[in-house]
Amino acid sequence: MQHDRPIIIGAGLAGLMTALHLAPMPVLVLARAPLGDGAASAWAQGGVAACVGADDDPARHLDDTLAAGDGLCDAAVAARILQAGPDSIATLARHGVEFDRAADGRLALGLEAAHSRRRIVHAGGDGTGAEIMRALIAAVQRAPSITVLEQAEARRLVVEDNRIRGVLVAAPHGALLLPASRVVLASGGIGGLFLHTTNPPQSWGQGLLLAARAGAALADLEFVQFHPTALAAGTDPLPLVSEAVRGEGAILIDETGTRFLADQPGAELGPRDVVARGIFAHLAAGHQVFLDARPALGERFGKRFPAITAACLAAGIDPVMQPIPVVPAAHYHMGGVAVDAAGRSSVAGLWACGETASTGLHGANRLASNSLLEAATCACWVAEDVAATPPVRVRPLADRRLPPAPDPVPVRPILSRHAGLLRDGDGLLAAIRALAPLAAAGGPAADPATLGLMLAVAALRREESRGAHARTDFPARRADFSTRLTLYLTDATAAAARLADPIVRRA
Ligand SMILES: Cc1cc2nc3c(=O)[nH]c(=O)nc-3n(C[C@H](O)[C@H](O)[C@H](O)COP(=O)(O)OP(=O)(O)OC[C@H]3O[C@@H](n4cnc5c(N)ncnc54)[C@H](O)[C@@H]3O)c2cc1C
């Protein structure tokens, strides 16, 4: 018998903040990639939303968040997280993050779509995530209580009687079975389940799958935010062309030069999901879509957007001289492991934070830059709750077989075709029928297919259009769906078996 130390799965902003906040308690951080790689956190461009400006307050930030969430945010959770914004910025600064500041020393604040105030705290211009990760990695490396196991992928959670007992890990030198009674999932998003994504390619939602297989409830799975303008560079993943480019006046045109969104409310600066669907529909009609920054920015483009310029030049496009080809791409998942205010899942000893968690902050659509704030803030609350949870004596675990290395590639075309920006019942049924055998086969695609299946079942169940979830067969928002929906793997599997069987469906 031995006492365990908490295990944190994931080394992005959420995982590293949890580890730092638990110090000096000894913790083990599992990172699938070398520290700093494979985390969406390092790629964040815009910044962290926090109501630190003199003209701003938590109530305004809450109003904007609730409006974006389209009736599905948990207002109490949202109010608590947004209220903590200024403190979270101060905590990040204490860990060494150097935010951009105005000449008078105050934080420089950016403006993003659907925010009614300037409240985006940023670093290095469009390099906020890289600066945050630089500082946190340095802080972690200085903390003797934190052990990081790099290139270690959690493949299963071990659960007995709805209580966490350990983690089964694929490590560089083979399988490891680590006993643990307290595990924090901080494993990022699910963009890698789709063909076009801005996420690190291995971000296919493995943490959600681990939680689902452990018996935890997942929530809001159907809500996937697609960014309207990823650079159509033919790479995987696709580089992001930030909303700020449209904010500076760039327009969307097609191959004929027509400004095809000009008549929509807000035109190119309408809500993110509306613009993404407009581009998607135009592409589906056989057009090409470009972001044209030449009239608005011209020669200024390179200075204002150095990282985007570099990505364009690498793809053979000069944004000063040419329009930039763009395509919508899976960008952020509002859904995740259903957690309470302390980040606890429905399985004892399992917490989640960051993009893996579904706290209720985002509702049906995330307000830009609220995700880094949520990750930083909730990680600290999770750490406090983990620290307050006494360790349980854990028995040595019986050997378990390591599942194969997961491969989301076969799942990506299925979800992109049927569960992407526009969905309908027939398409979602087709996805379920295609994913069910992959999930049952037990091969490398089984885990991603199982999560994809859950997403498709959740999307089929929500017979309305709301926020990022657009059903062409149910185009209106429905009052009887104005609640967050949770899903267990057992229920999803049973529903999929029933739906995939055409005889049962007819009955
Ligand atoms: C291009 C881009 C730009 C963005 N810009 C912004 C922005 O400006 N503002 C904003 O608020 N949000 C932004 N977002 C969203 C935001 O970056 C993410 O929501 C946030 O960084 C998620 O942090 P995280 O710690 O939860 O996950 P991540 O940073 O993705 O970290 C996940 C970690 O878990 C590890 N992992 C995963 N599975 C396992 C496993 N099974 N075993 C071991 N390790 C595992 C990964 O290797 C990684 O270390 C952006 C996202 C992208 C992709």
Side-chain angles (χ1 to χ4, degrees):
M1 302 284 252
Q2 59 187 100
H3 284 289
D4 68 321
R5 58 183 163 167
I7 294 178
I8 298 165
I9 300 175
L13 170 58
L16 297 186
M17 279 294 272
T18 307
L20 287 165
H21 210 71
L22 274 165
M25 179 186 285
V27 295
L28 176 65
V29 177
L30 302 178
R32 186 165 48 199
L35 208 47
D37 289 351
S41 299
W43 297 5
Q45 295 178 348
V48 192
C51 52
V52 292
D55 62 346
D56 203 2
D57 58 58
R60 282 181 213 279
H61 195 174
L62 180 63
D63 284 348
D64 296 344
T65 300
L66 298 182
D70 206 0
L72 273 203
C73 298
D74 180 324
V77 167
R80 185 165 169 250
I81 293 173
L82 303 176
Q83 179 114 35
D87 281 351
S88 293
I89 296 296
T91 305
L92 286 168
R94 267 201 307 282
H95 284 308
V97 180
E98 291 187 17
F99 290 113
D100 293 337
R101 291 183 183 272
D104 62 3
R106 279 191 287 186
L107 289 163
L109 298 177
L111 180 64
E112 283 184 352
H115 286 275
S116 59
R117 289 289 183 279
R118 286 194 164 267
R119 61 166 75 99
I120 314 301
V121 180
H122 49 86
D126 59 5
T128 308
E131 167 58 14
I132 289 177
M133 288 297 283
R134 178 205 63 76
L136 295 190
I137 289 171
V140 161
Q141 286 166 342
R142 287 192 302 269
S145 60
I146 302 174
T147 305
V148 180
L149 196 55
E150 291 174 297
Q151 304 193 43
E153 181 176 85
R155 293 257 177 95
R156 285 291 179 269
L157 299 174
V158 183
V159 178
E160 288 170 9
D161 302 328
N162 197 41
R163 171 166 281 288
I164 288 289
R165 296 291 180 207
V167 185
L168 181 56
V169 181
H173 301 295
L176 289 176
L177 190 52
L178 304 171
S181 67
R182 294 167 297 175
V183 170
V184 179
L185 279 171
S187 47
I190 66 158
L193 284 179
F194 294 85
L195 280 174
H196 293 146
T197 181
T198 62
N199 290 190
Q202 280 309 312
S203 284
W204 62 264
Q206 193 171 17
L208 269 69
L209 184 277
L210 296 180
R213 284 208 190 279
L218 307 188
D220 298 341
L221 285 181
E222 61 274 36
F223 295 108
V224 181
Q225 187 174 77
F226 288 79
H227 198 287
T229 54
L231 174 62
T235 54
D236 180 26
L238 297 176
L240 183 70
V241 183
S242 158
E243 220 149 44
V245 179
R246 277 172 286 136
E248 295 285 343
I251 53 170
L252 287 162
I253 57 170
D254 64 17
E255 73 287 354
T256 67
T258 305
R259 201 178 156 193
F260 60 94
L261 287 183
D263 295 338
Q264 289 209 7
E268 285 87 356
L269 283 174
R272 192 175 268 190
D273 55 313
V274 175
V275 176
R277 284 196 287 272
I279 294 176
F280 180 81
H282 213 58
L283 288 170
H287 293 281
Q288 290 171 282
V289 174
F290 302 88
L291 187 60
D292 191 359
R294 293 171 300 178
L297 281 148
E299 295 286 345
R300 289 190 298 122
F301 195 98
K303 187 146 191 291
R304 176 67 182 86
F305 299 110
I308 298 169
T309 300
C312 288
L313 292 176
I317 296 141
D318 178 357
V320 175
M321 307 296 295
Q322 295 166 278
I324 305 166
V326 291
V327 65
H331 184 58
Y332 184 82
H333 192 206
M334 278 67 77
V337 180
V339 294
D340 68 10
R344 285 186 223 118
S345 76
S346 60
V347 171
L350 182 65
W351 289 258
C353 57
E355 194 167 337
T356 304
S358 178
T359 61
L361 168 66
H362 307 296
N365 217 349
R366 172 190 68 132
L367 183 66
S369 289
N370 266 358
S371 38
L372 290 178
L373 172 66
E374 181 192 45
T377 304
C378 296
C380 296
W381 294 340
V382 162
E384 282 158 24
D385 200 57
V386 170
T389 305
V392 175
R393 291 171 74 81
V394 285
R395 289 190 301 277
L397 299 166
D399 259 2
R400 277 157 209 258
R401 203 168 55 89
L402 196 64
D407 177 12
V409 168
V411 175
R412 301 174 84 184
I414 301 171
L415 281 187
S416 295
R417 175 150 182 226
H418 298 302
L421 265 161
L422 294 176
R423 301 140 177 207
D424 64 32
D426 288 344
L428 291 166
L429 271 174
I432 290 168
R433 290 206 188 101
L435 291 168
L438 283 175
D447 281 358
T450 301
L451 184 61
L453 195 66
M454 291 185 76
L455 194 154
V457 168
L460 186 65
R461 194 175 50 169
R462 185 172 286 282
E463 294 183 332
E464 65 161 353
S465 292
R466 182 189 291 272
H469 173 68
R471 289 274 301 255
T472 53
D473 48 351
F474 292 98
R477 201 165 85 142
R478 282 173 52 182
D480 51 338
F481 274 104
S482 54
T483 174
R484 300 177 60 214
L485 300 175
T486 54
L487 188 63
Y488 291 90
L489 178 55
T490 44
D491 295 339
T493 314
R498 191 165 34 80
L499 292 164
D501 180 345
I503 297 168
V504 176
R505 270 195 76 225
R506 272 202 306 273

